[in-house]
Amino acid sequence: MRRHLTSRALASVAVTSLLATTACSSGGDEPPAPDQEVVVTVAQARALTEGSTATVEGFATVAPGTFSSATSEQGFALQDATGGIYVSLPDALDFGLDARVRVTGQLGQTAQQTVLNAAAASVTVLDGTESVEPTDVMTGDVGEPVEGLLVRVRGSVTTAVEDEQPYGFQVYIDDGSGEVQVYVHVVDGEPVIDTTSLEVGLAIEVTGLAAQYEETYEVAPRRARDLVLVEQ
């Protein structure tokens, strides 16, 4: 899915240009003070029209820059009690999973995925951390209703792993309800999970962000422990 240079490169250029515009539009202005911001839920933000500005708070489910091999930016994902969303950033920030974060940005679409486009100055790391539990989803149900959420799927590998470097690797799994793509990004030159053992027929459990690239929905793991072999 990503990754033929024509469509992938165009998507990357579009993201980079939009993020640069977002960053420049803030100029040297100070971000509004926290007590002046109107925070909405993630579900409310996702329902806004493209180009709307929203401020949301949640806990990080994807650390900044984890998906940069395919997205060509340094974004992260956050989730609250109502939903999750991917936040696109031009610059890397230094916080990890579970951090409590407030961010203001503009709603947009990147390769048909709903995202919040933001500048680094509009992101505030707040006190407190919380580990978000993944939502268990059937492979055939990974779609728009769960986009942006941290999900967990189980199924048998149905295709050989496809190497799409430098973007990443893709493989499909199915629990009987329909196939879903697992997209494995590359961090520091290595895939975030071990793809060498993923043979057709192997039963696995994968935790990751429910994401979308063009017309394909996918689960994107974030770290090695997001892959678990399932005993049959």
Side-chain angles (χ1 to χ4, degrees), residues 62-153:
V62 176
T66 303
F67 296 160
S68 62
S69 65
T71 63
S72 299
E73 45 78 74
Q74 301 295 324
F76 64 97
L78 64 78
Q79 187 169 323
D80 67 8
T82 70
I85 195 165
Y86 187 81
V87 180
S88 286
L89 288 173
D91 304 305
L93 295 177
D94 186 18
F95 61 85
L97 293 176
D98 307 334
R100 182 173 168 233
V101 181
R102 176 187 297 145
V103 56
T104 299
Q106 290 185 325
L107 270 294
Q109 294 280 317
T110 298
Q112 300 184 36
Q113 175 169 298
T114 299
V115 300
L116 193 64
N117 295 299
S122 68
V123 179
T124 303
V125 180
L126 305 172
D127 292 336
T129 62
E130 182 176 309
S131 181
V132 176
E133 286 296 313
T135 299
D136 289 309
V137 179
M138 303 292 286
T139 56
D141 291 337
V142 178
E144 192 65 28
V146 297
E147 183 190 282
L149 292 177
L150 185 67
V151 300
R152 179 168 52 211
V153 291

Side-chain angles (χ1 to χ4, degrees), residues 147-180:
E147 183 190 282
L149 292 177
L150 185 67
V151 300
R152 179 168 52 211
V153 291
R154 285 189 175 196
S156 297
V157 177
T158 59
T159 63
V161 175
E162 183 177 346
D163 184 343
E164 293 192 336
Q165 293 188 83
Y167 307 121
F169 300 80
Q170 70 178 30
V171 65
Y172 283 82
I173 67 172
D174 193 347
D175 61 9
S177 64
E179 284 186 322
V180 68

